Amino acid sequence: MKTQFIAGHARLPAGMAAKSLYDTLTITAEIDKKYGVIVEASCTLATEHGRDYVARLLRGHSLRDGIDGLLAELDEGYLGKAHSALCAALKDLYKQYCKMEEKES
């Protein structure tokens, strides 16, 4: 396969709709091995609209460029209660990507 699957996790804050389903927020991503580009992404936010927003935000971004730009976009564009959890899950996903890259080299 030319892609890899990674996930990042973070605890959800109290009072969130998704908290009744999950204790943690998970962001998953299918990554192109050669360029580190996110081909497809999803997360466990409660609403379809929220899940779609995160997927559109991540899709097409190369993790080789880091995640500072994505975090800035979340800061500007996502104003929901899960903001901190999304940022933490994205940082965890990036950490998993970096570990995967170390193994490959």
Side-chain angles (χ1 to χ4, degrees), residues 27-29 38 41-42 53-61 70 90:
I27 296 176
T28 59
I38 298 172
S42 64
Y53 178 84
V54 172
R56 285 192 317 272
L57 176 79
L58 299 177
R59 195 176 302 122
H61 180 81
L70 291 173
L90 181 57

Side-chain angles (χ1 to χ4, degrees), residues 28-96:
T28 59
E30 183 180 357
I31 312 291
D32 175 82
K33 284 184 186 180
K34 188 172 183 178
Y35 300 107
V37 173
I38 298 172
V39 177
E40 195 66 50
S42 64
C43 70
T44 56
L45 286 173
T47 66
E48 183 180 348
H49 194 187
R51 293 188 301 270
D52 289 346
Y53 178 84
V54 172
R56 285 192 317 272
L57 176 79
L58 299 177
R59 195 176 302 122
H61 180 81
S62 175
L63 291 176
R64 288 188 178 176
D65 296 333
I67 59 168
D68 290 343
L70 291 173
L71 291 170
E73 286 189 55
L74 275 174
D75 282 343
E76 285 180 32
Y78 187 89
L79 305 177
K81 280 187 177 182
H83 177 268
S84 295
L86 280 169
C87 291
L90 181 57
K91 288 175 184 176
D92 187 50
L93 181 130
Y94 183 65
K95 182 176 153 186
Q96 301 307 318

